[in-house]
Amino acid sequence: QVQLVETGGGSVQPGGSLRLSCAASSYIGCMAWFRQVPGKEREGVASITTTGGIRRYADSVKGRFTISQGDALYSVSLKMNSLQPGDTAMYYCAAATRCVLGKVDSGDFTFWGQGTQVTVSS
């Protein structure tokens, strides 16, 4: 199985930036980021194929967030710019054998990290 570890969460003021990283224990074909706030369903944020670099984004983050291959082997990063209070959530890294065409859906992913908190407030 693939183990995932997220880092980079923290607190930031509106308009600020953060970069999250997710390190996988081995190669897997698709990695993604989700976020969730208490009482709401988990939301797919972005995904990337770890070979071809094909990316998908939720409409709510297009133009602000960028998912890319990480600095380390078997890792991905999520650069978040122009953060707003609505981006406050627990952010989870997820992985699957391959990316599925369509929206980033939690049902398509079988491996999950423990999450890292992102808080945007003044």
Side-chain angles (χ1 to χ4, degrees), residues 100-118:
V100 178
L101 183 64
K103 70 176 183 179
V104 184
D105 193 301
S106 62
D108 296 326
F109 294 84
T110 55
F111 302 102
W112 296 86
Q114 292 298 116
T116 185
Q117 179 68 37
V118 172

Side-chain angles (χ1 to χ4, degrees), residues 15-103:
S17 299
L18 286 173
R19 189 180 77 166
L20 307 182
S21 296
C22 176
S25 60
S26 62
Y27 173 81
I28 193 160
C30 182
M31 299 181 70
W33 287 97
F34 290 78
R35 64 186 183 185
Q36 187 171 31
V37 299
K40 296 185 179 180
E41 294 185 352
R42 191 163 296 187
E43 175 190 14
V45 175
S47 71
I48 186 170
T49 60
T50 52
T51 54
I54 301 172
R55 299 166 173 84
R56 296 178 294 168
Y57 295 97
D59 289 342
S60 59
V61 306
K62 286 181 179 178
R64 298 190 298 121
F65 291 10
T66 303
I67 189 169
S68 62
Q69 293 180 326
D71 296 331
L73 186 65
Y74 309 142
S75 69
V76 296
S77 67
L78 183 70
K79 182 65 187 304
M80 304 182 293
N81 294 327
S82 301
L83 285 163
Q84 299 299 316
D87 297 314
T88 296
M90 184 72 74
Y91 283 71
Y92 297 91
C93 182
T97 303
R98 59 184 178 180
C99 290
V100 178
L101 183 64
K103 70 176 183 179

